[in-house]
Amino acid sequence: MKITIKGAHLFDPNNNVDEVGDLYIEDDRVTDNFSATSSQIEIDAKGLYLLPGFVDIHSHFREPGNEDAETIETGSRAAVKGGYTSVAVMPNTNPPIDNEGVARFIKEKAKEANKCRIFPIGTITKGRKGSELSEMGHLYEAGCVAFSDDGECVKNSATIRRALEYSLLIDVPIIEHPEDTTLTSEGQINEGVISTRLGLIGIPDVSEASMVARDILLAKFTGGKLHLAHISSENSVDCLKYGKNKGIKVTSEVTPHHLLLTEEEVVHFDTNTKMKPPLRTKSDIEALQKALKKGIIDAVATDHAPHPDYAKELEYSLAPFGVVGLETAFSALYTRLVLSEKISMEGLIQSMTNKPAGILNLPVGEIKEGGTADFTLVDLNAEWTVDPAKFASKSANSPFIGWKLKGVIKFTIVGGILAFNEGEFL
Amino acid sequence: MMNRKDLLGIEDLSREEIEEILEVAKSMEEILERPIKKAPTLRGITIANLFFEPSTRTLSSFALAEKRLSADSINLSASSSSVLKGETLLDTARNIEAMEVDIIVIRHSMPGAPHLLAKRLEASVVNAGDGTHEHPTQTLLDLMTIRKRFSEFDKLKVAIIGDIRHSRVARSLILGLHKMGCEVTVCGPPTLIPKWMDVFKVGINYNIEEVIPDKDILYILRIQKERQDQSFLPSMREYIKYYSLTYERLKKYASPEIVIMHAGPMNRGIEIESRVADSEFSLILDQVTAGVAVRMSILYLLSRRKLNENNN
Amino acid sequence: MGVKFREKRTLMNEEEMQWALRRIAHELIEHNSRLKEICIIGIRKRGDKLAKRIAEILGELTSWDIKVGVLDITLYRDDLTTYGPKPIIGSTYFPCNIDNLNVLLVDDVIYTGRTIRAALDEIIDYGRPSAIRLATMVTRSGRELPIMPDYSGTSVNLLEGEEVQVFLSEIDGQDSVKIIEVSTNDE
């Protein structure tokens, strides 16, 4: 399969590419030597930016077990619609990815869907129960790119220590969901002004920072690779600074909603503002934005967590935690952070492409001879309004509904195949 | 108030609206003094009382208010409801609305439950208490009781004493008192007063004996035994020692014109000494009387909106 | 947006209104020669002023025990009784127990009859008078219910767009009955 992309603004900060030009793709690679035989697909990309496809290292595709929220098929549609070419999916499925069978099932389904690349993440402990380690070796061989009990924190410090030690065998990160559940039990939103006003039980930010601190010190002690999921507070950022300064093998991620929204969003009891960790305060947002800019937080990850609407149309305290994010991530961050000059375009793209790819060792598009042909073409000037009726995802639980955003994904190419073509899926 | 579909909290009400409700409540009181305590005002209006938490006072107060105005009212309690069979709150409410119910009065253990219904239903929704969030009708009857005794709200000094953290009565009352121009101080054990309370612009003091002296009104909150189990308090005994409103404390520290209020139900001997509850300082029973009139007022004003719509 | 009044003509002046009230009082006395006491109830917010005036005149002419009360019918309205955009509930005051008493109900204008119906309902909720009679200053055609006043100051048929308004010195600074044209302007 040959693809020609004409007149795009080629932008790959990791490879110092920032110019208007043409790109030629043959099979799954970028090629300089384009033979005379015509390409099967020609894309007129005038006015569009050609970026490496985004890499999401934290998504929930719910299959197997919760297919009414999302399936691997619908999740991968949402991904390519949002410009994502690689997605790592969390193992809190039912059954969980704590054995090779489920890992292979997911790889099969991903192949069937044939859109974005999908990589399973295995559990740290059997059944995510937090006591016995899962067979990380077997899981790795079955295709798992990291291990996490996400959704749950590994409460027992001895267990997470063992996991970090054991992972030295395989050399992939242990991803922790940092939450001290004795501090967060029954909590619904950030503990602060809004929770006091609304009478909702709060989740204090120290519940996250204390686990971040614990795990960073254990990473130092064991020498294992630690990745911290969905950082949400200033206190956690301070702990990460310590980790980076000491040269500890710790990486971390932050979600678009934590970068853009505060607890103030909750005042109307809209359950699309409910997730874990919760939305926090203005000073937390500022700390997170600065941390991402400076590289103290390495990557953006969506924590795409679909829930069907009947599940979210409940009393706030009963509604499940989580919001979707694949289809809005880039546009929201581009509009609110890049256009308002809080972060550079280079910085944003790197935090959504090569940096997350580097953490889990995933393929990432590169605009260079022989580079992987994982790309997305974006019209940065086009405006759109977030409308869940138009989502490719099966679920509509987005905190950005009604937002007017700039940046429309027009095409997504995965391994040289046009997976998303102006509204049409492969 | 008549442009409102629902009454969800004191937070949304303006001072003018509060005044309106209290004015109309005064007229409603008259009906309660007649030999035939009925007016046909809400004839043809159907009201469902959806109570997911047990309640004697609030439920009977609403039920009486509805009957006094000749509305048709039905009572649904959690134990007999379909929610036990797994039906969601929204579905339960939708089913009730489908039977041509005009107003739903809901008491629920979770904050925001009335808001969920108000957003999705055509029927008017009245919040009779949503978890630890708000209890607007309680505050309105409290304000009516205060007005009858003091006639002016301006600069009245009120102390709210007890478990502020878990009290919807406190939250609504603070908002209501501020809107009417009163000064509020909260008092209780540090574990039961949230760190961020100062965002409500109230005074905070953990010592009851310092709080009592210059106050016009002492509003006592009920303390629940569960708080001891959850480690908010070491024991009830300790709570009584430091925070119970005893006759002795009252006589020693309070001004002779002091007034005592309590939303009920009271734990006699715990947050309030029996003698104090029955003393000449207590407005507790007046609060209950005001409750029916205020609820009549609210139901009347909400239903006027519907009738106005039908006319136009 | 505003409601505009344009006075078209005067139906009764101050003197004519005085005479009408006196005549009503005399008619009342004529029909109730054996009466010893009476309760006169005026409907807010002009009927009660007229009720007081009738009570004064009766007080001059008889030695009856005369009590005066006020009725606010807001809570008894059917929704077709229009009183303006915002029904303010005034208080109702009964001066005595009305069981077995003669009651004279007084209002400024009777038109559809719905206000009077509401007033009758309210009175009967209060007690069982032996009789209720109705006196109005103006009887306007257009009844929607079978209710007629026993005593009336004057009658009038109106054209479309016309209203009749009773002005009283206690409220409006002058005594008169005027035909007015009402129009609403949407600006």
Side-chain angles (χ1 to χ4, degrees):
Chain A
M1 165 84 82
K2 284 182 182 171
I3 304 181
T4 305
I5 301 169
K6 285 197 143 325
H9 187 138
L10 306 170
F11 191 83
D12 180 1
N14 199 31
N15 285 299
N16 287 314
V17 178
D18 183 1
E19 67 199 16
V20 176
D22 302 336
L23 191 78
Y24 305 100
I25 297 172
E26 187 161 354
D27 296 326
D28 65 342
R29 299 272 144 193
V30 175
T31 174
D32 264 356
N33 299 329
F34 212 59
S35 63
T37 56
S38 57
S39 54
Q40 278 107 320
I41 299 176
E42 223 179 80
I43 299 177
D44 175 7
K46 197 164 140 222
L48 302 181
Y49 265 67
L50 180 89
L51 308 168
F54 308 130
V55 174
D56 191 17
I57 53 175
H58 189 148
S59 248
H60 298 266
F61 279 7
R62 305 301 188 207
E63 190 175 4
N66 273 316
E67 289 84 349
D68 52 356
E70 192 85 279
T71 61
I72 290 174
E73 168 68 36
T74 59
S76 49
R77 284 177 183 232
V80 296
K81 187 153 185 254
Y84 282 87
T85 52
S86 284
V87 177
V89 292
M90 281 295 177
N92 59 334
T93 48
N94 187 10
I97 311 177
D98 68 352
N99 64 79
E100 311 151 68
V102 183
R104 290 190 201 279
F105 168 80
I106 289 176
K107 293 232 75 143
E108 269 299 307
K109 279 277 170 170
K111 236 204 276 189
E112 266 172 43
N114 198 23
K115 292 174 186 54
C116 59
R117 300 176 200 268
I118 295 181
F119 302 92
I121 295 174
T123 60
I124 297 174
T125 62
K126 293 196 176 104
R128 287 166 62 241
K129 293 219 175 87
S131 42
E132 291 174 40
L133 295 182
S134 54
E135 293 179 308
M136 292 198 231
H138 281 82
L139 284 168
Y140 176 71
E141 308 253 325
C144 289
V145 295
F147 300 97
S148 180
D149 276 359
D150 183 59
E152 292 294 324
C153 177
V154 181
K155 303 190 216 320
N156 188 315
S157 307
T159 309
I160 187 77
R161 174 226 169 128
R162 294 284 172 238
L164 284 162
E165 282 175 340
Y166 192 76
S167 74
L168 293 170
L169 171 65
I170 309 161
D171 198 29
V172 292
I174 299 290
I175 303 178
E176 173 81 283
H177 163 116
E179 178 189 347
D180 181 345
T181 49
T182 60
L183 288 174
T184 65
S185 72
E186 291 178 32
Q188 307 294 329
I189 59 172
N190 184 43
E191 182 167 341
V193 169
I194 304 293
S195 70
T196 303
R197 262 174 63 192
L198 297 185
L200 284 169
I201 300 182
I203 296 173
D205 68 8
V206 66
S207 64
E208 176 184 279
S210 59
M211 284 298 148
V212 168
R214 176 194 78 164
D215 288 355
I216 289 178
L217 291 169
L218 285 173
K220 179 170 186 247
F221 182 74
T222 58
K225 256 192 194 151
L226 173 70
H227 178 80
L228 289 156
H230 42 55
I231 297 298
S232 70
S233 74
E234 193 173 353
N235 283 326
S236 299
V237 169
D238 289 341
C239 297
L240 287 167
K241 273 191 202 140
Y242 170 86
K244 292 289 195 190
N245 286 341
K246 294 278 183 181
I248 298 167
K249 286 193 211 141
V250 58
T251 54
S252 62
E253 69 194 34
V254 63
T255 68
H257 45 271
H258 287 110
L259 286 167
L260 300 178
L261 302 170
T262 65
E263 54 181 4
E264 303 267 335
E265 299 289 317
V266 187
V267 283
H268 300 295
F269 293 102
D270 179 358
T271 54
N272 288 334
T273 58
K274 183 175 178 181
M275 76 289 287
K276 253 191 188 171
L279 301 172
R280 302 207 196 258
T281 67
K282 205 149 173 279
S283 73
D284 290 306
I285 288 191
E286 280 165 13
L288 294 170
Q289 288 173 359
K290 281 205 195 92
L292 184 67
K293 192 171 175 190
K294 294 206 184 124
I296 296 168
I297 295 178
D298 306 82
V300 166
T302 64
D303 196 3
H304 177 91
H307 290 288
D309 51 12
Y310 61 79
K312 279 285 203 178
E313 268 186 357
L314 296 177
E315 299 87 311
Y316 201 91
S317 312
L318 291 181
F321 294 94
V323 293
V324 292
L326 286 167
E327 297 177 67
T328 50
F330 172 72
S331 304
L333 293 175
Y334 174 70
T335 310
R336 293 299 178 100
L337 291 185
V338 174
L339 290 182
S340 61
E341 293 178 7
K342 296 212 171 82
I343 190 173
S344 65
M345 181 69 170
E346 294 78 32
L348 180 65
I349 299 305
Q350 297 222 35
S351 69
M352 290 182 75
T353 57
N354 49 288
K355 280 185 151 188
I359 294 173
L360 295 189
N361 202 18
L362 301 179
V364 65
E366 294 191 273
I367 302 178
K368 68 176 194 197
E369 163 76 25
T372 308
D374 282 0
F375 298 111
T376 182
L377 282 138
V378 191
D379 183 348
L380 292 179
N381 290 318
E383 225 181 54
W384 60 296
T385 305
V386 180
D387 177 8
K390 304 213 174 94
F391 278 179
S393 163
K394 234 177 173 181
S395 295
N397 50 320
S398 165
F400 300 118
I401 292 175
W403 283 39
K404 286 199 173 46
L405 298 176
K406 280 211 155 159
V408 175
I409 309 288
K410 294 284 183 187
F411 304 92
T412 302
I413 296 166
V414 181
I417 297 179
L418 191 57
F420 179 70
N421 178 354
E422 294 201 281
E424 297 290 309
F425 296 98
L426 183 65
Chain B
M1 188 46 194
M2 287 201 306
N3 291 326
R4 243 174 229 295
K5 177 170 92 74
D6 317 286
L7 176 64
L8 299 175
I10 301 291
E11 170 131 46
D12 318 312
L13 295 178
S14 67
R15 181 172 180 156
E16 288 72 42
E17 287 176 297
I18 296 178
E19 298 273 13
E20 190 185 351
I21 293 171
L22 297 181
E23 268 304 301
V24 173
K26 254 203 318 215
S27 308
M28 294 303 180
E29 267 192 322
E30 264 192 82
I31 302 180
L32 301 177
E33 282 153 24
R34 301 179 186 182
I36 296 185
K37 299 183 201 320
K38 231 171 170 46
T41 323
L42 293 189
R43 216 166 70 96
I45 300 272
T46 312
I47 305 178
N49 299 321
L50 205 49
F51 274 56
F52 290 95
E53 273 183 335
S55 153
T56 330
R57 194 173 329 243
T58 310
L59 177 58
S60 47
S61 186
F62 268 106
L64 271 177
E66 289 151 18
K67 293 189 195 315
R68 298 273 184 250
L69 292 175
S70 307
D72 292 320
S73 99
I74 49 169
N75 294 339
L76 297 152
S77 67
S79 54
S80 58
S81 86
S82 51
V83 168
L84 277 186
K85 297 187 190 157
E87 193 180 43
T88 65
L89 174 64
L90 202 49
D91 275 336
T92 303
R94 280 197 186 118
N95 286 331
I96 293 171
E97 186 183 47
M99 295 187 254
E100 309 292 339
V101 166
D102 302 292
I103 304 178
I104 294 184
V105 177
I106 175 171
R107 164 169 284 194
H108 199 283
S109 59
M110 295 185 192
H115 302 65
L116 174 64
L117 297 188
K119 238 194 308 203
R120 307 280 184 185
L121 301 179
E122 301 272 313
S124 291
V125 177
V126 177
N127 182 1
D130 62 331
T132 45
H133 179 220
E134 283 228 43
H135 194 352
T137 61
Q138 178 69 47
T139 292
L140 291 164
L141 71 87
D142 288 336
L143 292 175
M144 181 170 187
T145 310
I146 294 174
R147 167 163 274 171
K148 274 177 138 174
R149 172 59 78 102
F150 291 93
S151 56
E152 274 304 308
F153 285 103
D154 212 39
K155 302 283 192 323
L156 273 185
K157 292 191 171 49
V158 183
I160 306 178
I161 303 171
D163 180 358
I164 308 288
R165 183 184 282 274
H166 299 101
S167 172
R168 56 183 166 220
V169 168
R171 281 183 176 79
S172 289
L173 186 59
I174 292 172
L175 292 170
L177 289 170
H178 276 152
K179 286 185 200 232
M180 304 309 278
C182 306
E183 288 171 28
V184 183
T185 306
V186 298
C187 174
T191 45
L192 293 177
I193 298 187
K195 225 168 56 152
W196 295 271
M197 231 24 223
D198 52 351
V199 81
F200 284 107
K201 301 195 184 53
V202 293
I204 302 177
N205 194 323
Y206 305 129
N207 186 333
I208 195 177
E209 283 158 15
E210 283 174 22
V211 163
I212 295 179
D214 62 337
K215 303 292 182 291
D216 302 293
I217 301 171
L218 299 177
Y219 199 108
I220 312 299
L221 299 175
R222 177 183 153 71
I223 184 85
Q224 285 178 279
K225 261 224 95 228
E226 291 95 88
R227 306 304 165 215
Q228 179 185 322
D229 308 329
Q230 293 158 351
S231 292
F232 285 105
L233 296 171
S235 66
M236 282 298 135
R237 199 170 78 114
E238 186 125 326
Y239 184 81
I240 294 168
K241 179 175 157 90
Y242 284 96
Y243 295 100
S244 182
L245 187 65
T246 58
Y247 200 74
E248 200 191 309
R249 277 194 168 125
L250 202 62
K251 275 287 159 182
K252 195 163 172 203
Y253 297 104
S255 101
E257 281 95 44
I258 195 74
V259 141
I260 313 292
M261 297 175 73
H262 191 308
M266 286 188 280
N267 287 319
R268 283 174 186 266
I270 301 190
E271 70 260 8
I272 185 169
E273 205 183 292
S274 215
R275 200 174 159 197
V276 172
D278 300 327
S279 69
E280 70 267 30
F281 307 108
S282 159
L283 289 183
I284 296 174
L285 289 175
D286 301 69
Q287 288 173 267
V288 178
T289 310
V292 181
V294 161
R295 287 167 175 129
M296 286 166 76
S297 167
I298 289 164
L299 294 170
Y300 169 74
L301 288 166
L302 285 177
S303 66
R304 284 302 93 178
R305 181 186 147 274
K306 219 169 208 143
L307 289 170
N308 279 345
E309 269 178 15
N310 291 342
N311 276 348
N312 303 336
Chain C
M1 190 195 58
V3 177
K4 276 204 160 141
F5 295 88
R6 186 177 74 84
E7 284 182 21
K8 275 183 120 176
R9 59 190 168 92
T10 303
L11 199 59
M12 292 173 99
N13 61 27
E14 184 176 342
E15 212 186 338
E16 287 166 324
M17 283 173 75
Q18 311 268 46
W19 282 117
L21 287 174
R22 293 205 87 87
R23 175 176 52 74
I24 288 173
H26 280 280
E27 282 179 19
L28 189 76
I29 297 168
E30 193 187 330
H31 296 156
N32 294 287
S33 49
R34 270 183 291 217
L35 211 57
K36 299 271 180 52
E37 55 181 329
I38 188 169
C39 184
I40 306 182
I41 314 262
I43 301 178
R44 254 184 219 285
K45 64 168 184 180
R46 291 193 162 78
D48 56 325
K49 309 288 183 285
L50 293 170
K52 269 218 194 87
R53 295 193 193 185
I54 293 178
E56 269 168 32
I57 300 172
L58 282 176
E60 289 167 24
L61 298 175
T62 71
S63 56
W64 292 352
D65 178 6
I66 303 164
K67 298 224 173 50
V68 183
V70 185
L71 204 66
D72 183 285
I73 59 133
T74 315
L75 297 177
Y76 282 77
R77 281 169 29 179
D78 62 34
D79 47 55
L80 296 177
T81 319
T82 46
Y83 242 57
K86 199 174 177 182
I88 301 162
I89 308 175
S91 57
T92 289
Y93 167 67
F94 279 85
C96 55
N97 186 326
I98 56 171
D99 288 351
N100 302 314
L101 262 193
N102 263 286
V103 168
L104 177 70
L105 186 57
V106 182
D107 204 4
D108 56 341
V109 180
I110 177 172
Y111 174 27
T112 60
R114 291 185 187 276
T115 302
I116 305 300
R117 182 210 61 80
L120 290 174
D121 272 356
E122 190 164 358
I123 293 175
I124 290 172
D125 266 0
Y126 265 89
R128 280 195 104 259
S130 53
I132 304 176
R133 309 242 192 277
L134 174 64
T136 60
M137 180 58 86
V138 181
T139 301
R140 178 185 165 175
S141 59
R143 213 78 70 247
E144 290 174 6
L145 296 173
I147 298 178
M148 286 298 291
D150 299 277
Y151 312 101
S152 168
T154 186
S155 317
V156 69
N157 291 338
L158 294 179
L159 302 173
E160 206 178 307
E162 287 181 336
E163 294 285 326
V164 59
Q165 179 73 40
V166 173
F167 295 96
L168 298 178
S169 52
E170 296 94 318
I171 300 171
D172 315 290
Q174 50 145 327
D175 274 2
S176 61
V177 179
K178 296 205 164 100
I179 311 292
I180 56 177
E181 201 165 56
V182 183
S183 58
T184 47
N185 290 343
D186 290 307
E187 278 162 62

